[in-house]
Amino acid sequence: MLNIPYDETNVPDISTLTAPSYDNIDANTVAPVKRIGVLTSGGDAPGMNATIRAVVRAGINSGMEVYGVTRGFHGLWKGEISQIGMRDVSETLQRGGTFLMTARSKTFTTDVGVLRGAKMMEVYGLDALVVSGGDGSFKGARALARLGVPVIGIPGTIDNDIGCTDYTIGYDTSMNTAMEAIDKLRDTASSHERCSVIEVMGRSAGYIALNVGIATGAEVILIPEVPFDFDKDVLRVILDGRNKGKRHYIVIVAEGAGDATDIATRIEKQTGIESRPTILGHLQRGGSPTLRDRTTASLMGVHAIDCLLNKKYNRIIVEKEGKITDIDLEEGLAMQKTIPSIEIENAKRLS
Ligand code: F6P
């Protein structure tokens, strides 16, 4: 780690620093990682406990000491850090949420906060930090990396919106939770011949809405990535459906694309079809992780430890074409993800 003295009055501008590349460093000259920290940050996601467990178990089995940092980066700069043993992660694989807890730390978006975090790594003698979270969490990890702290990111967010990986831990569980809820809403929409407008999570990404919409046979799917015309893309589709004999309707809206209550009110007013809004909200972030999330979290955790053992630092663990691999942190953070238009077209053809 760079030896930058901690001094709140003289903080370096971290955004101008670049994370050191370890690609060309002779692994034999770098001291092996002995003691690591692990934290979960940002919105929680089912499977985060499985990630922590994998990092702890694979880390200890490889001769490392593992320390848990509570409340994400907030706990890091505050020094809320304690050792985790093998038995501490028993019975956590199947549990939703994150037992380390999580937070969105405002302080950690400042140079002072990051410097304090890096200092705490030194105080606790931690050689590297494993961070499970989304894009924002990886930016926090990058800020630490730019100060010379070796980091590894593991994608954990229900939104599946991290550019460098095909899959993020929590996505499958949240979609299954939403699907089960929407199936139930369809039952009652059908009995009452109503339109059910369901808002799912996704402030800036429509992956949950699109796939859950396909899985539940939604008439209309609204996502933030695709601007829509209310008359043509919502009203027309519902009225055409009614003309073809449909008697109930499912409209899925990602939270970043519109407001379920507002949409339901407009549909009822303009078509005369009784409409009810439901906001699934944080329900989608809880629950026991599915097999997909448990296995991906476990294998990504093991891969993170492999990176550290091989002195491959500042990496994001990713899933690419079904394989768990890793990518440079800066490079990975610069990548964008877009929903292929064919997927949107296919969803429309199923309506
Ligand atoms: O985890 C990502 C996400 O689920 C977004 O889709 C959503 O907008 C956001 O978290 C809400 O999180 P919170 O209410 O915890 O701030």
Side-chain angles (χ1 to χ4, degrees):
M1 205 192 295
L2 301 182
N3 186 18
I4 302 177
Y6 172 62
D7 173 3
E8 274 194 32
T9 57
N10 183 22
V11 174
D13 179 2
I14 286 159
S15 62
T16 62
L17 302 173
T18 47
S21 162
Y22 291 90
D23 288 350
N24 300 320
I25 292 180
D26 176 3
N28 296 319
T29 65
V30 182
V33 163
K34 280 267 166 232
R35 202 191 262 223
I36 63 168
V38 57
L39 62 78
T40 49
S41 159
D44 61 352
M48 277 184 163
N49 281 325
T51 307
I52 303 164
R53 174 182 177 273
V55 169
V56 170
R57 295 251 161 119
I60 294 174
N61 280 329
S62 308
M64 296 175 184
E65 285 177 16
V66 185
Y67 284 71
V69 182
T70 50
R71 299 184 183 82
F73 291 111
H74 182 78
L76 182 66
W77 72 262
K78 292 199 86 170
E80 293 173 6
I81 300 167
S82 50
Q83 193 169 1
I84 316 185
M86 284 284 194
R87 300 269 57 88
D88 296 326
V89 290
S90 300
E91 308 285 327
T92 57
L93 183 63
Q94 73 281 16
R95 276 171 45 201
T98 157
F99 77 87
L100 283 178
M101 294 179 283
T102 183
R104 292 189 170 95
S105 173
K106 283 218 173 73
T107 309
F108 213 77
T109 58
T110 67
D111 288 353
V112 172
V114 178
L115 201 62
R116 277 193 71 155
K119 202 69 206 165
M120 283 301 172
M121 293 288 295
E122 237 173 74
V123 170
Y124 282 83
L126 301 178
D127 304 316
L129 183 67
V130 179
V131 173
S132 163
D135 236 30
S137 309
F138 290 169
K139 284 182 184 145
R142 178 176 64 186
L144 281 172
R146 286 174 173 173
L147 288 178
V149 177
V151 295
I152 304 285
I154 300 183
T157 164
I158 65 163
D159 290 339
N160 198 31
D161 61 347
I162 298 182
C164 58
T165 181
D166 294 344
Y167 188 79
T168 62
I169 296 156
Y171 179 48
D172 187 59
T173 308
S174 76
M175 286 195 297
N176 277 291
T177 302
M179 183 184 75
E180 282 169 24
I182 295 164
D183 284 349
K184 289 175 181 150
L185 289 166
R186 182 184 280 285
D187 290 345
T188 169
S190 157
S191 312
H192 288 266
E193 299 179 84
R194 282 175 176 157
C195 174
S196 189
V197 181
I198 301 127
E199 189 175 309
V200 296
M201 273 194 166
R203 199 160 23 209
S204 46
Y207 295 97
I208 295 178
L210 185 64
N211 284 301
V212 166
I214 292 172
T216 57
E219 276 65 40
V220 177
I221 306 170
L222 304 173
I223 59 175
E225 292 87 343
V226 182
F228 65 94
D229 176 297
F230 194 78
D231 288 349
K232 178 169 147 290
D233 299 319
V234 181
L235 295 182
R236 189 72 272 147
V237 176
I238 289 173
L239 291 173
D240 281 353
R242 183 162 67 181
N243 292 340
K244 285 183 203 144
K246 282 193 182 180
R247 287 292 168 260
H248 69 274
Y249 317 84
I250 298 288
V251 173
I252 309 273
V253 53
E255 62 175 314
D259 175 83
T261 308
D262 174 53
I263 292 171
T265 307
R266 287 174 73 185
I267 292 173
E268 183 162 318
K269 205 167 161 204
Q270 294 181 45
T271 62
I273 298 167
E274 233 189 332
S275 301
R276 293 285 187 271
T278 304
I279 299 171
L280 294 184
H282 291 84
L283 193 84
Q284 297 155 96
R285 288 240 296 258
S288 177
T290 57
L291 178 140
R292 169 73 155 117
D293 282 323
R294 294 184 200 190
T295 51
T296 308
S298 301
L299 297 176
M300 283 190 170
V302 171
H303 195 90
I305 296 299
D306 280 344
C307 283
L308 294 173
L309 288 172
N310 294 318
K311 295 167 184 169
K312 242 176 146 187
Y313 305 137
N314 301 346
R315 314 291 294 176
I316 299 177
I317 312 303
V318 297
E319 184 183 293
K320 278 280 156 204
E321 287 160 12
K323 286 205 172 65
I324 308 286
T325 176
D326 54 274
I327 183 172
D328 174 72
L329 175 72
E330 300 262 6
E331 210 181 299
L333 259 176
M335 290 167 76
Q336 302 292 328
K337 201 183 218 177
T338 47
I339 295 184
S341 51
I342 181 76
E343 287 185 22
I344 296 163
E345 281 316 307
N346 285 344
K348 280 189 184 153
R349 289 168 66 199
L350 290 164
S351 160

